[in-house]
């Protein structure tokens, strides 16, 4: 058995096409110690290969189990019946087979990227300074949204899972998550950030609890965006960071960012308490490495989605960053960025397939450099899209 623990990120479709009693022993034979099962997921069109070529369409904001409404507070947004399975057969069978094979099942949940809820409850979504609503992005500062996140966590934690793998538990950027997005104007990262920055009722209320200059901040951000949209973007080529934002907008923007980081941190604390009481792990599936694919200093960009790493690191079980890079040296640099600054242990996520890995040797090198850094948990994304040769490559890399 490999010294490295490894889970496969897995869609529920795996168990639609084959029984868990067949799938889980097979995965264990390839060196996996568990799965991160997508129990709440967003829409996508995926070319699945492991069980034969199949084009699948996933529904947005879908819960791949029968939701227990008793887990939700009265004022929480609750999943609609059309956005959940009619029974718990898929989850129950996976848990049963896992128990019989000393295999873990973690709940992989996508929290704030949910168009199904956004369209049903438009007041729950991120709303920018111009009043534009991002219907695919729920606002974590909204109390009903926060209660939805807590209710879903409570529900999943009661099922007998081993852990929560929380994705999208934060804000997002301007271009996250719609089909055929059209921005026929050249925009800088600064403009895109300000355009997607949430100024919903609750984000503004949180800011006003400690600040009295909201009106002037709203007016400033609005005027800056309108100038861009009427002429051209003056910040093209400039890096997006807090110092530059303060120069462009003024110091109040930093206080506004701090207020939303506080809201996100508070939600993490409440979810972590649910996990603690259930005696399960709570990992943060961290998308920061994707915010700038040219950089290995991922943690310097976490603030863009409302994450304060100094706070989150004290709350979660582990950071689980998406270390999607083509070269092993860049994988090592990204992992070191986390290990040297925010955590002594991480769970690394690799894609063993195109476009990150083009050979068995490439994957082997990545696993080796991570192991050399002391990383003893490596998860792989995405089981359903893998061919048998990809699974063989994983087995060889883990054994090495």
């Amino acid at each position: 058995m490999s010294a490295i623990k490894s889970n496969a990120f897995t869609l529920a479709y795996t168990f639609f096409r084959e029984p868990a009693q067949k799938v889980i022993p097979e995965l264990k034979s390839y060196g996996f110690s568990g799965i991160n099962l997508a129990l709440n997921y967003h829409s996508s069109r995926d070319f699945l290969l492991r069980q034969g070529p199949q084009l699948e369409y996933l529904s947005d904001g879908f819960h791949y189990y029968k939701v227990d409404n008793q887990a939700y507070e009265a004022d929480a947004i609750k999943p609609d019946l059309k956005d959940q399975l009619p029974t718990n057969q898929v989850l129950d069978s996976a848990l049963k087979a896992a128990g019989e094979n000393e295999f873990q099942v973690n709940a992989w949940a996508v929290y704030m990227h949910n168009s199904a809820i956004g369209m049903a409850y438009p007041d729950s979504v991120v709303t920018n300074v111009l009043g534009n609503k991002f219907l695919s992005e729920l606002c974590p500062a909204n109390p009903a949204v926060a209660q939805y996140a807590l209710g879903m966590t409570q529900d999943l934690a009661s099922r007998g899972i081993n852990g929560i793998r929380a994705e999208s538990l934060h804000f997002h950027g301007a271009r996250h998550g719609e089909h055929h997005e059209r921005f026929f104007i050249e925009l800088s990262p600064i403009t895109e950030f300000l355009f997607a920055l949430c100024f919903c009722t609750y984000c503004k209320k949180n800011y006003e609890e400690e600040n009295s200059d909201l009106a002037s901040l709203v007016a400033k951000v609005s005027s800056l965006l309108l100038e861009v949209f009427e002429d051209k973007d003056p910040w093209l080529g400039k890096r997006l960071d807090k110092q530059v934002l303060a120069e462009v907008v003024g110091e109040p923007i930093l206080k506004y960012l701090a207020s939303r980081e506080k809201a996100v941190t508070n939600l993490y604390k409440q979810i972590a308490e649910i996990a603690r009481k259930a005696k399960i792990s709570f990992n943060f599936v961290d998308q920061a490495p994707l915010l700038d694919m040219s950089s290995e200093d991922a943690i310097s960009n976490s603030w863009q989605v409302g994450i304060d790493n100094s706070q989150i690191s004290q709350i979660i079980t582990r950071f689980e960053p998406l270390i999607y890079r083509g070269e092993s040296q860049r994988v090592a640099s990204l992992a070191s960025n986390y290990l040297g600054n925010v955590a002594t242990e991480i769970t690394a996520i690799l894609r063993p397939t195109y476009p990150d890995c083009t050979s068995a040797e490439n994957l082997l090198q990545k696993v080796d450099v991570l192991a050399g850094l002391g990383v003893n948990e490596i998860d792989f994304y995405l089981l359903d899209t893998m061919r048998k040769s990809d699974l063989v490559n994983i087995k060889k890399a883990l054994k090495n």
Side-chain angles (χ1 to χ4, degrees):
M1 178 67 71
S2 170
I4 296 175
K5 290 181 62 179
S6 181
N7 297 322
F9 281 86
T10 305
L11 300 178
Y13 279 85
T14 282
F15 301 108
F16 290 176
R17 301 179 71 185
E18 292 179 311
Q21 290 78 5
K22 176 180 182 297
V23 172
I24 286 178
E26 180 183 336
L27 294 182
K28 193 171 181 179
S29 74
Y30 284 111
F32 290 106
S33 51
I35 55 172
N36 302 326
L37 181 59
L39 293 176
N40 168 245
Y41 206 66
H42 55 73
S43 64
S44 62
R45 182 176 70 172
D46 301 296
F47 186 37
L48 310 183
L49 289 168
R50 193 185 71 83
Q51 297 161 311
Q54 180 75 26
L55 199 60
E56 288 287 0
Y57 290 78
L58 277 64
S59 300
D60 206 0
F62 199 83
H63 300 70
Y64 290 90
Y65 57 96
K66 177 66 176 173
V67 171
D68 178 10
N69 284 334
Q70 298 301 311
Y72 293 78
E73 296 292 335
D75 56 350
I77 294 173
K78 301 176 184 65
D80 193 276
L81 282 174
K82 65 177 175 55
D83 299 321
Q84 57 184 280
L85 290 179
T87 73
N88 290 310
Q89 188 274 329
V90 169
L91 177 56
D92 288 347
S93 64
L95 290 170
K96 183 176 184 294
E100 293 168 349
N101 289 274
E102 297 182 349
F103 198 78
Q104 291 199 338
V105 176
N106 300 308
W108 171 23
V110 177
Y111 280 82
M112 298 294 148
H113 182 28
N114 191 318
S115 293
I117 287 178
M119 291 181 178
Y121 300 90
D123 289 340
S124 71
V125 304
V126 167
T127 305
N128 71 10
V129 73
L130 303 177
N132 302 148
K133 292 183 178 294
F134 291 75
L135 294 176
S136 59
E137 322 300 338
L138 306 181
C139 177
N142 183 305
V145 171
Q147 287 297 333
Y148 159 71
L150 295 173
M152 179 168 65
T153 306
Q154 186 70 56
D155 191 1
L156 293 173
S158 70
R159 306 277 179 154
I161 61 169
N162 297 100
I164 298 289
R165 299 299 176 260
E167 182 180 342
S168 188
L169 189 52
H170 47 63
F171 292 94
H172 300 95
R175 298 178 190 257
H176 187 93
E178 291 294 342
H179 300 295
H180 302 294
E181 291 187 319
R182 297 182 180 92
F183 284 76
F184 293 160
I185 179 174
E186 188 177 13
L187 300 176
S188 66
I190 295 170
T191 296
E192 289 200 8
F193 178 79
L194 293 175
F195 183 65
L197 186 60
C198 188
F199 280 89
C200 74
T201 299
Y202 300 101
C203 284
K204 291 189 291 187
K205 181 180 178 181
N206 287 345
Y207 181 74
E208 285 188 301
E209 287 180 357
E210 298 180 5
N211 303 279
S212 59
D213 53 358
L214 175 66
S216 60
L217 176 61
V218 168
K220 180 67 173 179
V221 174
S222 179
S223 66
L224 288 171
L225 288 174
L226 291 175
E227 288 174 16
V228 169
F229 300 147
E230 289 172 2
D231 190 5
K232 68 176 184 178
D233 195 325
W235 308 301
L236 293 172
K238 283 196 174 185
R239 175 177 170 79
L240 170 61
D241 60 37
K242 286 186 174 181
Q243 180 179 344
V244 173
L245 272 182
E247 293 171 359
V248 169
V249 183
E251 290 296 323
I253 193 66
L254 300 182
K255 295 185 290 182
Y256 194 82
L257 297 179
S259 71
R260 76 177 197 153
E261 289 172 5
K262 182 179 178 181
V264 172
T265 296
N266 286 340
L267 182 54
Y268 270 79
K269 288 179 179 177
Q270 294 176 79
I271 288 176
E273 181 61 15
I274 294 172
R276 185 192 67 79
K277 289 181 177 178
K279 298 181 180 180
I280 62 175
S281 60
F282 172 36
N283 285 14
F284 167 37
V285 178
D286 189 359
Q287 299 174 0
L290 308 187
L291 295 174
D292 184 354
M293 292 293 288
S294 67
S295 172
E296 272 65 74
D297 184 17
I299 63 171
S300 68
N301 295 320
S302 302
W303 64 271
Q304 295 178 25
V305 294
I307 292 291
D308 178 349
N309 286 315
S310 67
Q311 294 293 316
I312 300 302
S313 62
Q314 300 176 49
I315 299 168
I316 60 175
T317 306
R318 284 195 180 201
F319 282 91
E320 191 156 348
L322 305 173
I323 304 187
Y324 295 173
R325 297 294 189 269
E327 301 80 27
S328 59
Q329 299 94 329
R330 298 188 69 199
V331 165
S333 295
L334 257 178
S336 297
N337 183 236
Y338 281 86
L339 293 169
N341 295 284
V342 297
T344 57
E345 293 182 321
I346 63 169
T347 299
I349 304 175
L350 296 179
R351 284 188 299 202
T353 56
Y354 177 86
D356 295 348
C357 289
T358 55
S359 69
E361 181 64 23
N362 179 278
L363 179 61
L364 181 62
Q365 291 171 355
K366 291 174 180 176
V367 172
D368 279 351
V369 297
L370 288 171
L373 291 170
V375 176
N376 59 11
E377 292 189 8
I378 303 174
D379 289 354
F380 292 93
Y381 180 94
L382 172 69
L383 176 67
D384 308 74
T385 63
M386 297 178 196
R387 297 164 293 181
K388 184 176 181 179
S389 59
D390 300 316
L391 293 167
V392 170
N393 291 344
I394 290 171
K395 182 176 183 178
K396 290 179 179 178
L398 291 175
K399 277 191 172 182
N400 191 66

